Amino acid sequence: EGFEVEVFKGLNQPLPVVYFEMNANEHDRAIQALARLSEIGTIQRLNVTDIDHQGWLFDEWIGYDEFVAQEVERFPRTTNVVVKMAC
């Protein structure tokens, strides 16, 4: 936990799905992790679920740019980011 960027630096090819935890006060770190994933492949879509997996934050899966543009206040305190990548 907290080392997503470092872990993702060890990847040299995209994975079909990547899942990681994000705390609302660490939105910038999540963006850094996504930026690293986009260096190794194409992020097709992503969504966010609350920590209890009780539902998606976004009704539709969104793109990377739309995720980055979201206001931090929109996210629950702790969430899980699910990223679909082109392989």
Side-chain angles (χ1 to χ4, degrees):
E1 186 172 317
F3 294 98
E4 292 83 4
V5 175
E6 289 79 9
V7 170
F8 295 160
K9 285 180 181 177
L11 296 175
N12 59 12
Q13 62 185 24
L15 301 170
V17 176
V18 178
Y19 176 99
F20 64 94
E21 185 177 292
M22 177 187 82
N23 293 311
N25 62 341
E26 299 171 334
H27 187 252
D28 290 342
R29 197 177 78 226
I31 292 172
Q32 291 173 356
L34 292 170
R36 171 58 191 144
L37 291 173
S38 69
E39 289 173 1
I40 60 171
T42 302
I43 295 175
Q44 292 180 316
R45 294 281 174 211
L46 50 94
N47 210 330
V48 177
T49 134
D50 64 22
I51 196 67
D52 296 323
H53 304 97
Q54 293 188 17
W56 296 107
L57 179 62
F58 304 109
D59 293 332
E60 302 283 330
W61 288 71
I62 63 174
Y64 171 79
D65 291 335
E66 189 174 349
F67 179 87
V68 170
Q70 295 297 314
E71 297 293 327
V72 173
E73 295 79 24
R74 172 140 193 209
F75 296 99
R77 196 182 102 158
T78 304
T79 61
N80 297 294
V81 180
V82 183
V83 183
K84 292 182 180 181
M85 299 187 71
C87 289

